[in-house]
Amino acid sequence: MKMKTIVICSGGLDSVSLAHMVASEHQLTRLVSFDYGQRHRKELDFAALCAKRLDVAHEVIDLRAIGMALTGSALTDDIDVPDGHYAEESMRITVVPNRNAIMLAVAFGVAAARGDEAVATAVHGGDHFIYPDCRPAFTEAFEAMQKFALDGYADVSLYTPFVNRTKADIVTAGTLHNTPFAETWSCYKGGTQHCGRCGTCVERREAFDLADVVDPTTYEDPDFWIQAVARKAFG
């Protein structure tokens, strides 16, 4: 049975791949994106492209006032985004406290109001190290909480097909569902091109390599990922 499903879509590789997957396997009703004052806000343009391509509504919800209160992150404050592998301790500076919990709560409200049956989010195994609200224990607890929050009003499920899978697995799934990877944005620095040095660029480049899929992305520093992966492997 195909569920009427909202996808939380940032415009990144993971969420755009998920949107294409849901459009193929379920009933994609809309994409929901969030503007929380992120320095790489240009990612929302890629979410809009995805919605247009899949012929569904795209709603951008303004959380900038909330983002201003969640201080201390390199994604929202005037703090340099660190270079290196995603799993390095230094990447914790990219945590926006409770970001996914806030976005999911809003998306569940939207789903309940619009008659949708599921909210899909592209959290994955590679996020577990630094982002607590991407871990299976969180997503399971959140879905259980929402059952109580919407009891008697709506029955909305949380769909997280990648929560125990790697980013390379997402590239594989995205390829299967004809995701145009060149029309996604990952880089946290939000420049003209992907920097190739920040954690999310390194992880993106590594994922294509592990999946044995050609990476169509143009990087300012296309080879930095090799030394970043080696440094992480050897401590």
Side-chain angles (χ1 to χ4, degrees):
M1 185 175 179
K2 294 189 175 184
M3 297 184 295
K4 294 170 62 178
T5 304
I6 288 175
V7 170
I8 297 177
C9 185
S10 67
L13 184 153
D14 306 337
S15 61
V16 172
S17 295
L18 177 61
H20 277 260
M21 179 176 166
V22 169
S24 174
E25 298 180 352
H26 296 282
Q27 183 181 347
L28 178 64
T29 58
R30 72 194 78 251
L31 302 185
V32 174
S33 302
F34 296 92
D35 180 355
Y36 56 94
Q38 61 269 47
R39 69 170 65 199
H40 57 301
R41 190 187 182 282
K42 66 182 293 180
E43 65 179 357
L44 300 179
D45 296 335
F46 291 85
L49 280 175
C50 180
K52 183 176 181 180
R53 188 168 55 247
L54 296 176
D55 194 26
V56 294
H58 179 223
E59 300 179 32
V60 179
I61 296 174
D62 189 349
L63 294 181
R64 285 176 293 176
I66 295 174
M68 287 176 63
L70 306 179
T71 58
S73 172
L75 301 193
T76 54
D77 284 5
D78 188 19
I79 300 171
D80 289 340
V81 175
D83 295 337
H85 195 279
Y86 214 53
E88 291 181 24
E89 190 70 24
S90 61
M91 295 302 158
R92 290 189 186 277
I93 196 65
T94 64
V95 172
V96 179
N98 237 27
R99 178 181 61 174
N100 281 355
I102 293 167
M103 292 179 180
L104 280 168
V106 174
F108 265 77
V110 172
R114 304 292 176 81
D116 292 308
E117 299 167 291
V119 172
T121 184
V123 297
H124 64 87
D127 289 334
H128 295 175
F129 179 74
I130 53 174
Y131 298 128
D133 55 1
C134 290
R135 297 169 187 160
F138 165 77
T139 57
E140 292 165 10
F142 187 91
E143 182 175 30
M145 178 271 290
Q146 282 296 310
K147 296 298 182 185
F148 289 105
L150 296 173
D151 185 38
Y153 181 79
D155 185 10
V156 182
S157 299
L158 179 58
Y159 183 48
T160 57
F162 304 139
V163 71
N164 288 307
R165 299 171 70 184
T166 68
K167 197 177 187 81
D169 291 331
I170 296 177
V171 170
T172 300
T175 301
L176 178 64
H177 295 287
N178 300 312
T179 303
F181 297 120
E183 296 181 24
T184 65
W185 184 266
S186 297
C187 183
Y188 279 162
K189 296 183 181 181
T192 303
Q193 298 178 336
H194 284 73
C195 73
R197 298 180 63 91
C198 70
T200 189
C201 276
V202 169
E203 184 195 35
R204 178 185 176 108
R205 183 65 189 85
E206 181 186 22
F208 277 102
D209 183 69
L210 292 172
D212 197 23
V213 172
V214 175
D215 184 354
T217 314
T218 299
Y219 299 95
E220 292 178 4
D221 191 340
D223 297 322
F224 175 79
W225 74 279
I226 298 172
Q227 65 188 73
V229 169
R231 185 170 64 244
K232 178 61 180 64
F234 295 104

